[in-house]
Amino acid sequence: MKKIKTLGLITLGAAVMISASACTANNAGDIQNNNSTKAVNEKAAPSPANNEVAQNRLQDDFYEAVNAKWLQSTELPANKVIIGGLADLDTDVKKVVSGDLAKMAAEGRDKSDDEIGNMVKFYKLAADREKLNKQGYDAIKADIQIIKSTKSLAELAKNQKDLYFKGLALPFSLNLLSDMKDATKNALYIEAPAPVMPDKSYYATENPQSEVFLGLYKKMLTDLLVMVGESDTEAARIAGEAVDFEQEYIQYTLSAAEASNFESFYNPKTIGELKAYSKSVDLEKFLIDVVGKVPDHISVMSVKYFENLDKFLNEKNWDKIKSWTYANFVLKSSSMLSDDFVNTSTQLGRALSGQQEMTATEDTVHNIVNSAFKYVVGNYYGETHLGAAGRKDVTAMVENMIGIYRDKLLNNDWMSEETKQEAIKKLDNLKTHIGYPDNLEDVYASLKVDGNKTLFENNRAIQTIITKNNFAKLDKPVDRDEWRMSANTANASYQPLTNTITIPAAALQAPFYDKNQSASQNYGGIGTIIAHEISHAFDTNGAKYDEIGNMANWWTEADYKKFEEKAKAVIDQYNNMDYLGQKLNGEMTVSENIADIGGLMAALEAAKQLPDANLNEFYKSYATIWRQKVRPEVEQILLTIDAHAPNKIRVNAVSANTDDFYSTFNVKKGDAMYIAPEERLTLW
């Protein structure tokens, strides 16, 4: 699945991170019949009349009132799970890039051997669905035979160097990121494999719907295994064992709520300490084989998983391990095979997300190209469709927003001078990535596509080069200029381990940013996004990292206690909000809620300084960028795993915490949007 939040990378929103192949959900009927969403002070907002544009007052439900016409007139397409906001930007980018790739392919751009040429050559392989449909699963037959002929866990481990890069290895994943205690150096992090379903709660027997989820999962794997030649009975056996094994190990992994605290990922162990976790497999040999050397230390992200490793990773459990490896390999390979494999491998996601039709073939092809060439795609998109002028304009907004933050920190009334200076130091050292990088990393020039080989073979070769290139950076200096989000990504991020914000070119589109909009509207759009990412440097995660990304305490004891009190107030306010008949998880979403509140307040300050400031336009622009239609099943997923509050809450709760909202829209006590002045949240 695609995770909403990867280690150290805090994204703006989850909309474009959700795909049908990654979605699970609760019962759709329960959600559709529940209209108990409440406004920020828990007073229910008026319901729109059937077949009419909603009549909500701005003072009672700002989100619904501003977006009423769009919400009433816009249909959610059968092949989509989310539209509006970031999802629409993502759709637009895919359409533009897909059109450009088709045109370049027709013009013979693939004849050149540069990055763009190889990208187009790869596109032609992915777009030739007729050829892929004839090939079926030929590309993975040899690997299937390797798995089926492997007789033991020891035999699997013996060949792990080759198997790891084929996706057939032991159930571990490796990440290369800054060392949290020495952010100038790259360090290795080891983790459990990502589950197919969104969160461990979906596998738990105490979850009344887990039987349905797991049944759908087993059916999908069974269907795929039949397609690669297994009998119905044998396919059902292998699929059942595979899911059983995943259910077995998943109980020891971090939940989405636990993973929202980045500090929990940093558990450095010596190679001896890591090796001691297992008597069944040699973890030291695994690292030497795969990475090429033994690091000084490796951080264990899920300690509980490795402490219990031998309970599920042992020779007695070999049949289940083998079945999991086999089924998992076929599932992960399916996107590079024929249309029937693509269709079958996404059936779990479509069933549980409520997606009624297959994703368009054009989008499937785009996703394949982007998975291998995303930074090449990103640079092409940024240079071609944003350009230097757009990047310069947004960079000026970023610099202005940093200045606003500097003033807010200096004029803060609850931090000591000592802490203020440390906060300013962090702000002054903030690295900003705007639009697209100036240069591509050298490794992308080495990604060569062989037109005589299959799409699957080419993809494996490319992914192997990229992975080995990352491992080669181990113990070497961190390059803070390196982008960790491609320019064609319709999102934005903050990276606490490098103290970097990234605003990709794909996010710089209407309604977030448009040179034809007023400055007030742009500050209500992209301005709040920029300020949101800056705010992450000072949220409950960011507050624990210094100006270069070291996990270090730069606060006085008294100031940090005050900060914790303010964070607790945010948690409490959001814990008391109802959405879809359930309470929000204020603790899981606290870092994003702090960034939303701090970001809106900073952007508001910038808008107020404009000579033609229009706060009506500012707030309405903010409400517009978060408008969204989402399948109810997916909303339930997001409530379980997403560190962000629902979009409606992001608009209503955040706006209602700013004093200017009340004077701009004449909001008074008794209105559903009203929060008493003493209960409004302020941070900086």
Side-chain angles (χ1 to χ4, degrees):
M1 64 168 286
K2 294 180 181 179
K3 291 189 175 182
I4 300 302
K5 184 187 289 184
T6 55
L7 173 61
L9 188 66
I10 306 170
T11 58
L12 171 65
V16 297
M17 309 297 281
I18 292 286
S19 66
S21 60
C23 289
T24 40
N26 293 344
N27 186 285
D30 290 345
I31 302 164
Q32 290 168 335
N33 293 328
N34 193 325
N35 294 314
S36 61
T37 302
K38 297 182 182 180
V40 290
N41 65 346
E42 295 191 275
K43 293 182 180 179
S47 300
N50 290 335
N51 302 317
E52 294 180 8
V53 174
Q55 299 299 308
N56 299 80
R57 297 168 65 243
L58 292 165
Q59 297 88 344
D60 289 328
D61 191 329
F62 190 64
Y63 172 88
E64 295 282 348
V66 171
N67 296 312
K69 185 176 180 181
W70 184 87
L71 291 168
Q72 195 273 339
S73 63
T74 306
E75 293 294 326
L76 184 57
N79 65 348
K80 299 281 187 182
V81 296
I82 300 176
I83 58 171
L86 295 171
D88 284 357
L89 301 193
D90 184 58
T91 297
D92 291 345
V93 171
K94 285 180 178 177
K95 186 175 182 179
V96 166
V97 170
S98 295
D100 287 357
L101 286 168
K103 183 179 179 182
M104 286 190 285
E107 294 172 348
R109 184 66 175 83
D110 56 305
K111 299 298 188 289
S112 59
D113 194 33
D114 59 359
E115 292 94 330
I116 300 291
N118 279 284
M119 175 181 71
V120 176
K121 193 180 293 185
F122 193 72
Y123 164 79
K124 290 180 72 173
L125 288 175
D128 192 346
R129 307 312 297 178
E130 184 178 348
K131 184 176 182 180
L132 284 167
N133 290 335
K134 285 181 181 177
Q135 290 173 347
Y137 72 101
D138 287 351
I140 63 171
K141 282 183 177 178
D143 292 317
I144 288 174
Q145 283 308 116
I146 290 173
I147 299 170
K148 294 182 74 169
S149 64
T150 305
K151 305 299 183 186
S152 66
L153 178 61
E155 189 179 335
L156 182 75
K158 182 180 176 182
N159 301 313
Q160 59 200 356
K161 180 178 180 180
D162 181 48
L163 298 181
Y164 179 85
F165 293 103
K166 288 184 174 180
L168 313 179
L170 299 168
F172 313 127
S173 64
L174 294 170
N175 296 290
L176 194 81
L177 293 155
S178 306
D179 188 317
M180 289 193 193
K181 288 291 188 179
D182 183 3
T184 63
K185 286 172 58 178
N186 285 302
L188 202 61
Y189 293 72
I190 192 167
E191 173 62 312
V196 169
M197 293 196 283
D199 184 68
K200 65 190 292 183
S201 63
Y202 287 77
Y203 297 80
T205 53
E206 60 268 23
N207 183 335
Q209 292 181 296
S210 68
E211 188 175 343
V212 175
F213 301 151
L214 295 172
L216 288 165
Y217 186 10
K218 288 175 187 176
K219 180 185 182 305
M220 177 181 68
L221 293 181
T222 301
D223 290 348
L224 286 170
L225 290 163
V226 168
M227 290 167 65
V228 297
E230 300 296 340
S231 68
D232 290 349
T233 302
E234 185 66 358
R237 179 193 69 80
I238 296 167
E241 289 184 347
V243 175
D244 286 348
F245 179 69
E246 192 163 317
Q247 190 176 16
E248 209 174 315
Y249 77 69
I250 212 73
Q251 63 182 305
Y252 302 115
T253 62
L254 296 172
S255 67
E258 291 168 329
S260 66
N261 176 15
F262 293 167
E263 193 176 13
S264 66
F265 298 150
Y266 191 66
N267 305 287
K269 305 293 179 183
T270 65
I271 195 64
E273 290 171 325
L274 181 71
K275 191 173 181 177
Y277 279 128
S278 180
K279 295 175 183 175
S280 301
V281 295
D282 188 338
L283 290 171
E284 180 179 12
K285 185 177 184 298
F286 171 76
L287 290 183
I288 293 172
D289 285 351
V290 173
V291 182
K293 68 178 191 177
V294 176
D296 293 335
H297 67 262
I298 181 169
S299 190
V300 176
M301 292 170 65
S302 294
V303 172
K304 188 177 178 183
Y305 178 83
F306 285 90
E307 287 177 341
N308 290 277
L309 200 60
D310 277 351
K311 289 182 180 178
F312 53 85
L313 196 65
N314 56 63
E315 289 292 357
K316 289 182 180 179
N317 215 21
W318 167 242
D319 287 343
K320 285 185 179 180
I321 297 167
K322 181 176 180 177
S323 292
W324 176 81
T325 301
Y326 183 5
N328 203 260
F329 169 71
V330 176
L331 174 62
K332 289 182 177 178
S333 303
S334 292
S335 64
M336 299 290 160
L337 304 177
S338 55
D339 287 339
D340 55 344
F341 276 92
V342 174
N343 193 353
T344 303
S345 67
T346 57
Q347 68 178 229
L348 170 66
R350 283 182 283 114
L352 295 173
S353 68
Q355 184 174 326
Q356 297 164 7
E357 294 180 2
M358 275 288 294
T359 299
T361 301
E362 182 182 76
D363 286 351
T364 297
V365 172
H366 172 278
N367 293 340
I368 290 169
V369 176
N370 197 59
S371 71
F373 283 90
K374 66 179 178 180
Y375 288 99
V376 180
V377 174
N379 272 38
Y380 166 79
Y381 175 82
E383 291 174 354
T384 306
H385 297 286
L386 175 65
R391 183 166 67 169
K392 183 178 179 181
D393 186 29
V394 176
T395 299
M397 291 181 71
V398 172
E399 290 171 352
N400 184 39
M401 204 64 68
I402 290 173
I404 296 285
Y405 258 95
R406 185 177 291 105
D407 291 341
K408 279 185 165 291
L409 290 169
L410 288 172
N411 295 321
N412 181 280
D413 63 1
W414 59 270
M415 294 167 74
S416 67
E417 286 302 316
E418 183 180 346
T419 302
K420 283 182 183 180
Q421 291 308 312
E422 291 298 317
I424 295 295
K425 185 196 297 184
K426 182 167 188 179
L427 188 66
D428 286 345
N429 280 276
L430 183 71
K431 178 72 71 172
T432 60
H433 294 162
I434 311 301
Y436 52 91
D438 291 323
N439 300 293
L440 273 172
E441 196 177 344
D442 290 344
V443 67
Y444 296 103
S446 65
L447 304 185
K448 305 298 182 183
V449 176
D450 186 341
N452 295 315
K453 293 185 177 180
T454 64
L455 175 68
F456 177 85
E457 290 172 311
N458 276 286
N459 183 67
R460 171 178 282 173
I462 288 167
Q463 300 297 347
T464 298
I465 290 169
I466 292 171
T467 301
K468 288 183 175 180
N469 179 68
N470 285 335
F471 287 155
K473 298 173 185 176
L474 179 60
D475 295 328
K476 292 184 178 178
V478 169
D479 180 4
R480 292 182 69 212
D481 290 323
E482 180 183 341
W483 282 52
R484 289 170 171 80
M485 177 176 272
S486 60
N488 62 315
T489 305
N491 218 309
S493 69
Y494 173 71
Q495 166 60 279
L497 305 188
T498 56
N499 192 29
T500 304
I501 66 166
T502 303
I503 314 292
L508 303 176
Q509 306 177 64
F512 288 78
Y513 170 76
D514 187 344
K515 63 183 180 181
N516 297 316
Q517 287 183 157
S518 70
S520 294
Q521 288 173 307
N522 277 337
Y523 271 111
I526 197 64
T528 62
I529 303 315
I530 293 165
H532 171 101
E533 300 308 337
I534 296 172
S535 296
H536 273 309
F538 307 102
D539 69 17
T540 46
N541 281 311
K544 297 170 184 174
Y545 298 84
D546 67 14
E547 72 276 7
I548 62 168
N550 287 313
M551 189 164 65
N553 182 16
W554 46 269
W555 301 73
T556 66
E557 185 177 351
D559 287 346
Y560 195 74
K561 279 186 177 179
K562 292 175 187 174
F563 173 73
E564 288 183 312
E565 289 170 4
K566 287 185 171 290
K568 180 66 164 55
V570 175
I571 291 170
D572 290 345
Q573 188 183 89
Y574 281 77
N575 273 340
N576 286 321
M577 294 179 196
D578 282 359
Y579 192 77
L580 297 178
Q582 57 192 282
K583 295 290 185 185
L584 296 185
N585 187 335
E587 191 162 357
M588 184 175 75
T589 59
V590 62
S591 64
E592 293 295 340
N593 295 335
I594 287 174
D596 279 344
I597 294 166
L600 184 70
M601 289 181 174
L604 176 62
E605 193 63 35
K608 287 163 69 174
Q609 293 177 9
L610 294 169
D612 56 349
N614 186 323
L615 298 192
N616 184 299
E617 290 183 349
F618 171 86
Y619 280 108
K620 287 181 178 178
S621 178
Y622 180 67
T624 300
I625 66 171
W626 294 117
R627 69 187 184 189
Q628 166 178 283
K629 278 201 170 183
V630 56
R631 299 204 181 277
E633 299 93 332
V634 173
E635 280 210 289
Q636 286 294 329
I637 297 171
L638 296 177
L639 285 170
T640 303
I641 69 170
D642 190 10
H644 307 83
N647 282 22
K648 180 171 179 174
I649 299 295
R650 296 181 81 169
V651 171
N652 285 356
V654 177
S655 298
N657 274 296
T658 60
D659 293 340
D660 287 292
F661 179 76
Y662 294 82
S663 56
T664 302
F665 297 104
N666 196 29
V667 179
K668 293 183 170 57
K669 189 173 183 179
D671 294 332
M673 286 290 298
Y674 183 83
I675 296 177
E678 66 275 11
E679 295 176 4
R680 293 172 200 166
L681 302 169
T682 58
L683 291 126
W684 313 116

